[in-house]
Amino acid sequence: MTKGERVLVPAESLDVAVERLLTEAAAEGKRWSLIPGRVRTTVPSKPAIEDMLSDRLRRALEHEVVALNPSVGGGDISQRDVNEEVVKKALVALRLSTLKSLANERGVAVAGKAEEIAERIGRAYQWDPNEVARLILEHEEEPSPDRGHVTRLFPLAGTPDIERVYARLRQTAGHYIRIGVARWFVFNRVLNESADSVRVEGSHRWYRATVDDYAGLPRLTPVPSEDTASAWIRRTDSLIQIDGASSGAAKACAAAIQTGGDLQGRGYVPLAGMVNDDLEAHSAFMVDLLVNRFRMAGFEEMDLTVTKFKVGEEVGWDDEGQAENRPALRSVRFEGRHLLDSKVACELLTVGRPLVDMSLSVRVRSDDKHRVARFPIRVAIENNHVLVATGYGSGDPELSLKAHRAALGAVKQEVETGVADSARLEAYAGRIVERAGAESDAAVATMLLLEEEADEGSQPIPVLVPDFIVAEANEAEGLAVPMQKPEFDLAGDAFDELSSRELEAVTALLRVGKVKGAAAMFGVQVAGYRMILRSVMRKLEQREEGNVEIEALLTDLRRFDLQ
Amino acid sequence: MGLRIPAHLRDLATSIGAQSWVAGRNFGRDRYFAYVDKLKLDLAAFCAPDDIGPELLVPILARVVDAEDVFIGHVLKTTVEIKDPETWLRMCEAVAYSILQRYHRELENGKWVP
């Protein structure tokens, strides 16, 4: 056998080998424990790990050989293999950085390709599809159409005459109209559920034409496709709202409704225009949503995680009508956290690059304030419509729907009435220019904080240690002179080696006073949160000498149980 | 280059003193090292000797460590709690990596001859 060669081994033989190797290992261990002089410690509650080791060894062997699995019942893949591969498939659809963060939180190795990390995570969750589904929803930074609410808003030239629209559209029910080459829209139902709205349900059907050579005879084969769409036209809205459809189906549905209902579509998204000569119109639309409308909608702790800027025009054409073949960058996408605080994103905003697509994570409270959850929200400005998508998040469907409705309401208002608060937007435009001109990225994200918080943010951020910690510390140590509530300047030079994430973690812990609560506030799992804090402590311990502030902070951090 | 303990086990290995246990007198160096040699021969049925990496050896060594009930006494002296099967599994893996680390080091400097 040569290095790297993978031999073919029947899967049953692999199982036998794994069983044999581990049984022999256990026997050997037991035999050694009886050797005189060995100090054996019997712990009745010691957890059983044989199955997990067997699983690990089998997978390690599968990596080295080609395991030949018997097909079930004449050709089927075993259900176990299907389950495990489906779990992996769902995980690898996440971004690599998200996968690594999940692996880190679960305490499994983060090295390697996406598939390897997904395999470790899947194994750590015992390949439980429900657990993995929950995990994926919790960590999705950008909502995807199949895992969230999706709505597309197509602006109209004015508000519709709803009676006339209904009178026309009801004639289309049960009929179809052509909307393009080999493309049709079928009006399945047209409903007038209230006096102020019309609902249209239908399907977009289209055909691809392929040419086959069948026994020497060329033949044209139509390949059909179908996608459904559901639309609302409301008396008070100068737009068509299409829920849950793909981009193609939504465009087809909007075109069919405009034709059938004799509605004048704008064909573009109305934008208020430049702000302060600094923010381009698309960017102003997005930033106004972030700093004004989403806040008014009740979203808390907004964190911009993905931004996409247009940086060039569409492909150019030369004098002879040929497409220019020079390389051209058309868009640039950033992924991360608190992107509005990133210098490079602010630079693109200030040089007039249109921000056309953004995803953010927001915190939403239930009406009774008892439930809180985070959801990813995406807003994208397309040529003739705006997309609003909200992920299902951490498994509270009611709150997810509430978040989607709030985001949708905010975007609708932005489309219909323009900027919510010009003065405030202008102030933010000024801050963006300031950030673009800064020497480096800010240590602490402050851009999406309220003005009063942001003013504090530009100054050192004071963090007060909760009273109960001071009280417990005094009680535990029986101090003659009670411990004072220290105040740390986390933005000071003493903490300059900490990343913004680490600073945020420390701040959360000190504010909340409990590791679990702070992890939830910080939006990570407890294990991952502890790792971040341990890294903070290691960095601080290296710089502790003679620095009173660091010493005081370390003393307080050590009071929390970070094990 | 010597064998490195994977990053996800490194902190745990340090906190349970895995490397110091492997370096100590209570470890049973010759038995473990001879067993690694034997495993390499067994595993040669599946892959070339150069392909026998720690991923194959660690689960088997971890099983020996688990069954021997000696290392667990060392862990109980530390402040790290064996909360669940996953934690104990990772502890056994961490010590198995530490064993292989010492094995490789002594193989390289000629202190262990298979």
Side-chain angles (χ1 to χ4, degrees), chain B residues 11-51:
Chain B
D11 279 357
L12 182 67
T14 308
S15 55
I16 58 175
Q19 282 152 313
S20 59
W21 183 74
V22 168
R25 279 177 299 165
N26 204 21
F27 164 51
R29 167 195 182 262
D30 291 358
R31 279 190 299 277
Y32 271 101
F33 283 10
Y35 195 64
V36 173
D37 292 336
K38 176 193 170 298
L39 284 178
K40 284 179 158 185
L41 291 175
D42 287 352
L43 291 166
F46 297 101
C47 49
D50 285 349
D51 291 332

Side-chain angles (χ1 to χ4, degrees), chain A residues 1 3-4 7 17 24-26 29 32-33 35 38 40-41 46-47 49-50 52-53 56-57 60 65 107 109, chain B residues 8 26-27 31-32 35 38 44 46-48 51 55-56 60 63-64 66-69 72-73 85 88-90 93:
Chain A
M1 209 179 303
K3 181 173 164 54
V7 292
E24 282 176 9
W32 295 356
S33 69
I35 293 171
R38 300 293 281 162
R40 189 169 174 229
T41 307
K46 187 181 76 175
I49 56 172
E50 294 88 331
M52 288 192 282
L53 285 172
R56 271 164 162 70
L57 179 58
V65 303
Chain B
H8 71 287
N26 204 21
F27 164 51
R31 279 190 299 277
Y32 271 101
Y35 195 64
K38 176 193 170 298
F46 297 101
C47 49
D51 291 332
E55 294 80 11
L56 283 173
I60 309 172
R63 184 70 184 106
V64 179
D66 172 49
E68 196 191 19
D69 282 337
I72 195 165
W88 176 234
L89 172 77
R90 293 176 67 230
E93 285 179 330

Side-chain angles (χ1 to χ4, degrees), chain B:
Chain B
M1 206 173 95
L3 177 76
R4 281 173 68 82
I5 296 179
H8 71 287
L9 294 174
R10 226 170 280 156
D11 279 357
L12 182 67
T14 308
S15 55
I16 58 175
Q19 282 152 313
S20 59
W21 183 74
V22 168
R25 279 177 299 165
N26 204 21
F27 164 51
R29 167 195 182 262
D30 291 358
R31 279 190 299 277
Y32 271 101
F33 283 10
Y35 195 64
V36 173
D37 292 336
K38 176 193 170 298
L39 284 178
K40 284 179 158 185
L41 291 175
D42 287 352
L43 291 166
F46 297 101
C47 49
D50 285 349
D51 291 332
I52 301 172
E55 294 80 11
L56 283 173
L57 297 168
V58 160
I60 309 172
L61 285 176
R63 184 70 184 106
V64 179
V65 171
D66 172 49
E68 196 191 19
D69 282 337
V70 174
F71 175 67
I72 195 165
H74 172 78
V75 173
L76 293 176
K77 288 180 205 153
T78 70
T79 55
V80 187
E81 190 192 348
I82 304 172
K83 285 176 285 196
D84 48 34
E86 181 74 24
T87 311
W88 176 234
L89 172 77
R90 293 176 67 230
M91 287 176 178
C92 291
E93 285 179 330
V95 80
Y97 267 104
S98 304
I99 293 167
L100 285 177
Q101 200 176 38
R102 183 174 171 192
Y103 173 85
H104 279 277
R105 200 171 46 237
E106 299 202 3
L107 206 60
E108 276 169 19
N109 62 23
K111 285 186 182 169
W112 176 257
V113 182

Side-chain angles (χ1 to χ4, degrees), chain A residues 109-180:
Chain A
V110 294
K113 294 179 193 156
E115 187 188 333
E116 292 164 356
I117 302 172
E119 170 143 355
R120 286 183 216 122
I121 295 170
R123 199 185 309 133
Y125 283 90
Q126 271 102 47
W127 304 104
D128 182 335
N130 298 333
E131 271 293 296
V132 171
R134 188 189 55 74
L135 197 70
I136 289 170
L137 288 177
E138 273 178 10
H139 288 81
E140 226 171 19
E141 288 177 3
E142 221 177 344
S144 61
D146 55 337
R147 295 200 285 264
H149 306 282
V150 176
T151 301
R152 293 169 198 271
L153 302 172
F154 290 78
L156 295 170
T159 49
D161 174 349
I162 209 77
E163 285 76 17
R164 182 168 175 271
V165 169
Y166 178 59
R168 283 183 62 99
L169 285 178
R170 71 178 174 187
Q171 298 172 55
T172 65
H175 298 79
Y176 63 84
I177 59 175
R178 178 182 176 276
I179 49 163

Side-chain angles (χ1 to χ4, degrees), chain A residues 395-445:
Chain A
D396 189 328
E398 191 189 330
L399 272 188
S400 168
L401 185 60
K402 182 188 171 187
H404 185 64
R405 284 184 177 151
L408 195 59
V411 175
K412 266 188 191 177
Q413 285 183 322
E414 191 72 28
V415 171
E416 294 191 313
T417 62
V419 169
D421 184 341
S422 304
R424 198 135 177 268
L425 184 59
E426 282 181 19
Y428 267 91
R431 289 172 63 184
I432 288 169
V433 172
E434 209 173 282
R435 181 61 51 90
E439 281 184 10
S440 59
D441 278 332
V444 181

